[in-house]
Amino acid sequence: MKQKKFWKLIFCGVAVLLLSACAKTQTGDASRIYVGISCYDQTDVFIKELVTSFEGELKRNGDNKDISTLVTTRDAADSQRRQNTQVKELIDAGCNVLLVNLVDRTDSSEIIELAKKKKIPVIFFNREPVTEDLKQWNKLYYVGGNAKESGVMQGELAADFIRGNNDVDRNRDGKIQYVVLEGEPGHQDAIIRTEEAVNTLKASGIKLEKLGYGVANWNRSQAQNRMLQLINQYQNKIELVLSNNDDMALGGIDAYAKLNRTESSIPVFFGIDGTDEGLVAVKQGLLAGTVYNDKEGQAKKMADLVMMLETNDNSEKDSRFTQQNYLPYAKITKENVADYQSTSSSSR
Ligand code: GAL
Ligand code: CA
């Protein structure tokens, strides 16, 4: 009888130890965190800067908690199939958390299924999955900006500038002739930014006339080509260029430089992002303004989320995070651009 009791006790003790060991790995008693990133296109300037910023933030978080961090970044080169394979490989390689910059926002199901099966949390960033997909599991997150806000701010910047500078209306017809350089069709940041910028300008009493647009997929050299076509078509009628991002605005400016146009026939340009080169262009007055897509804030949010998921016992209950996390944008002109240049470089 006594012996039986003894073995019972030993058995219970071992069971408790095993259970608590399991609980520890599940709640993430991490000494090392391995993060796998897959980008839709690693040549995208904003994405490159965002990922660099994330790496810095994650290392800082790790150093603060004596946790070593490791990051592997893969480039999906614009193929959703390739991205699905990469995600599988990253999971097989032992990643604890995935950061996914979807190629196709509407096609996240295969990635979600894979991750859920292996219980690997996913932080989607910059390219927003549809909400129904995100609701499939409570370890799926999104970090990005609020597209509507960026469009409104671009419209406000343009309206202020036009009101303060009569010569934007070069032909003095009381209307501003404009063109739009558009990002990828289907991207949450393309159509909404254009619509909101134009509506904001109209609501502020500026008379507009749309001449045309060019789709340039966020890309500088594609934008240069589209702009050359638009200039060919509309000659010096173009007074304003609203670009869905900085890199395309810079491509548009390149087109005028290539044609050796004099300053008096170059329209005013507005971008969005505040990339390193975008900020330089604002400082030089080539870009009249841009809207800051807060890559430092987004990177910090993602790095904090990684730490919370891997080290916090009550991850779902951490009130700093919801499944969808939107960071605010900010307006940048020549007056405040220096503040952003220091933010950008100090976090690198
Ligand atoms: C946008 C950004 C663009 C481009 C795009 C990629 O938020 O403004 O420059 O990086 O994301 O998804
Ligand atoms: Ca005009």
Side-chain angles (χ1 to χ4, degrees):
M1 192 67 178
K2 250 188 173 175
Q3 222 182 6
K4 245 187 183 176
K5 232 184 186 170
F6 171 77
W7 283 115
K8 250 189 190 169
L9 271 175
I10 294 282
F11 175 77
C12 287
V14 170
V16 165
L17 275 178
L18 278 175
L19 276 174
S20 66
C22 274
K24 258 189 181 165
T25 39
Q26 261 174 25
T27 53
D29 183 20
S31 59
R32 174 181 163 281
I33 299 175
Y34 183 16
V35 179
I37 307 182
S38 173
C39 296
Y40 90 100
D41 173 5
Q42 249 185 325
T43 63
D44 181 300
V45 175
F46 174 74
I47 297 297
K48 247 195 290 183
E49 292 181 9
L50 174 60
V51 169
T52 304
S53 202
F54 168 78
E55 286 166 344
E57 290 293 344
L58 185 72
K59 178 154 190 336
R60 206 164 307 155
N61 277 355
D63 289 350
N64 283 342
K65 295 202 167 194
D66 247 353
I67 295 174
S68 70
T69 55
L70 179 68
V71 177
T72 296
T73 305
R74 306 291 304 274
D75 180 8
D78 233 355
S79 154
Q80 189 56 60
R81 269 183 57 197
R82 193 171 303 140
Q83 184 162 62
N84 295 349
T85 310
Q86 284 175 353
V87 163
K88 193 172 177 311
E89 286 166 1
L90 287 166
I91 292 176
D92 291 345
C95 283
N96 309 106
V97 190
L98 289 165
L99 259 64
V100 178
N101 179 217
L102 281 170
V103 175
D104 181 349
R105 296 173 49 220
T106 61
D107 196 5
S108 59
S109 50
E110 198 170 321
I111 290 177
I112 293 177
E113 239 166 69
L114 278 170
K116 202 172 160 188
K117 207 157 79 194
K118 299 282 165 115
K119 297 198 166 53
I120 309 292
V122 185
I123 304 168
F124 292 100
F125 65 100
N126 168 266
R127 299 161 73 92
E128 188 170 8
V130 279
T131 307
E132 297 85 82
D133 288 342
L134 215 61
K135 297 292 169 201
Q136 283 183 35
W137 187 33
N138 65 355
K139 291 285 196 301
L140 302 175
Y141 295 87
Y142 175 69
V143 176
N146 174 343
K148 179 173 172 174
E149 186 186 35
S150 57
V152 169
M153 286 185 174
Q154 188 183 55
E156 287 170 354
L157 282 170
D160 284 350
F161 191 90
I162 292 164
R163 267 192 241 105
N165 296 275
N166 287 335
D167 21 301
V168 175
D169 180 14
R170 274 204 311 269
N171 65 353
R172 310 265 174 225
D173 67 347
K175 283 186 276 185
I176 303 297
Q177 280 72 26
Y178 76 100
V179 300
V180 183
L181 291 173
E182 290 183 4
E184 268 170 287
H187 192 297
Q188 84 274 346
D189 289 340
I191 303 162
I192 299 178
R193 281 179 179 170
T194 306
E195 270 175 14
E196 293 299 328
V198 169
N199 290 343
T200 304
L201 272 160
K202 284 184 182 158
S204 69
I206 310 264
K207 298 257 178 308
L208 293 175
E209 183 188 346
K210 182 171 186 171
L211 297 177
Y213 68 98
V215 175
N217 301 306
W218 312 117
N219 179 280
R220 183 166 180 165
S221 61
Q222 286 185 40
Q224 177 179 328
N225 290 335
R226 297 290 93 80
M227 195 73 225
L228 286 169
Q229 288 161 355
L230 290 163
I231 298 170
N232 193 26
Q233 210 170 342
Y234 301 106
Q235 296 298 325
N236 58 359
K237 286 204 189 94
I238 307 167
E239 297 173 338
L240 164 69
V241 180
L242 296 173
S243 174
N244 286 167
N245 78 343
D246 283 357
D247 225 36
M248 294 190 295
L250 293 169
I253 294 167
D254 293 340
Y256 280 92
K258 196 170 180 186
L259 296 172
N260 279 323
R261 291 293 163 105
T262 55
E263 207 174 303
S264 61
S265 66
I266 300 177
V268 278
F269 280 83
F270 290 89
I272 293 178
D273 276 345
T275 56
D276 294 346
E277 281 193 78
L279 295 178
V280 171
V282 172
K283 194 166 189 184
Q284 292 171 337
L286 295 169
L287 258 182
T290 189
V291 180
Y292 204 57
N293 195 353
D294 183 4
K295 59 179 179 294
E296 282 75 29
Q298 293 165 24
K300 183 166 190 328
K301 191 61 122 189
M302 297 194 283
D304 289 352
L305 204 39
V306 168
M307 297 309 275
M308 183 273 281
L309 286 163
E310 293 307 305
T311 61
N312 194 332
D313 291 359
N314 276 319
S315 48
E316 304 91 278
K317 296 192 187 113
D318 192 316
S319 59
R320 284 172 303 160
F321 305 99
T322 52
Q323 276 191 277
Q324 284 152 306
N325 301 275
Y326 302 101
L327 275 289
Y329 283 89
K331 291 188 249 184
I332 304 181
T333 60
K334 219 172 189 171
E335 277 70 59
N336 65 348
V337 67
D339 305 343
Y340 287 88
Q341 285 184 302
S342 54
T343 316
S344 258
S345 48
S346 70
S347 74
R348 255 180 279 130

